[in-house]
Amino acid sequence: MEWDNPGLWWIAAGAVLAGVELLVPGVFLVFVAIAAAITGAFVLLFPDLPLAGQLASLAAWSAVTIAIGRRWYRDYSPDSADPLLNDVGARLLGATVTVVSSGADGSGRVRVADGEWPSRGPVLPVGAIARVVGVQNTTLIIEPIVLE
């Protein structure tokens, strides 16, 4: 095998990038590795392709493989053990909160765990217990808990 062919160097670069992808968390380098391997195949088919053409091929195939990868991960995202991990508002739905302040227009603040959140709902006295029934931006929508 003659290593003076740039196509083999591109394929080797793709293999190295794929190997680095295994060592480094993330899913980005694998797409560049695929693009490098495709560029290597083109250079093997067209050995007179100048370096500028090779780099253009790498850039173009990188864009294509990254776009395909983004679409793949969007359409087939892996299942999560905690799908609400980054959705704090959804986590608070149904939570019991304590009214810290309440305005005449129904806006106020409620205590959730060790923090306070802006709230909206019926006018409730300070210290009343309420339930979170919705979230609008960062405002918790509350309703009173009726004790029987």
Side-chain angles (χ1 to χ4, degrees), residues 23 116 119:
L23 300 174
E116 290 185 9
S119 66

Side-chain angles (χ1 to χ4, degrees), residues 45-72:
L45 291 173
F46 307 104
D48 294 331
L49 188 64
L51 180 61
Q54 296 173 28
L55 293 174
S57 172
L58 177 67
W61 283 111
S62 292
V64 169
T65 56
I66 290 170
I68 291 171
R70 286 181 55 142
R71 183 174 180 124
W72 174 270

Side-chain angles (χ1 to χ4, degrees), residues 1-2 25 32 52 65 67-68 77-78 88 93 107 116 132 147-148:
M1 181 181 304
E2 296 290 329
V32 179
T65 56
I68 291 171
S77 63
V88 177
L93 289 175
S107 64
E116 290 185 9
V132 177
L147 299 177
E148 297 178 12

Side-chain angles (χ1 to χ4, degrees), residues 65-145:
T65 56
I66 290 170
I68 291 171
R70 286 181 55 142
R71 183 174 180 124
W72 174 270
Y73 282 105
R74 185 189 70 209
D75 293 345
Y76 302 102
S77 63
D79 292 334
S80 172
D82 188 359
L84 300 179
L85 180 64
N86 294 317
D87 191 353
V88 177
R91 283 179 170 265
L92 292 176
L93 289 175
T96 302
V97 297
T98 304
V99 175
V100 174
S101 67
S102 182
D105 62 349
S107 64
R109 297 191 67 81
V110 293
R111 176 166 295 282
V112 180
D114 61 348
E116 290 185 9
W117 288 64
S119 66
R120 183 173 313 275
V123 177
L124 297 173
V126 172
I129 304 297
R131 182 179 326 276
V132 177
V133 295
V135 179
Q136 288 180 339
N137 298 320
T138 59
T139 301
L140 303 180
I141 310 301
I142 61 170
E143 68 178 15
I145 293 178

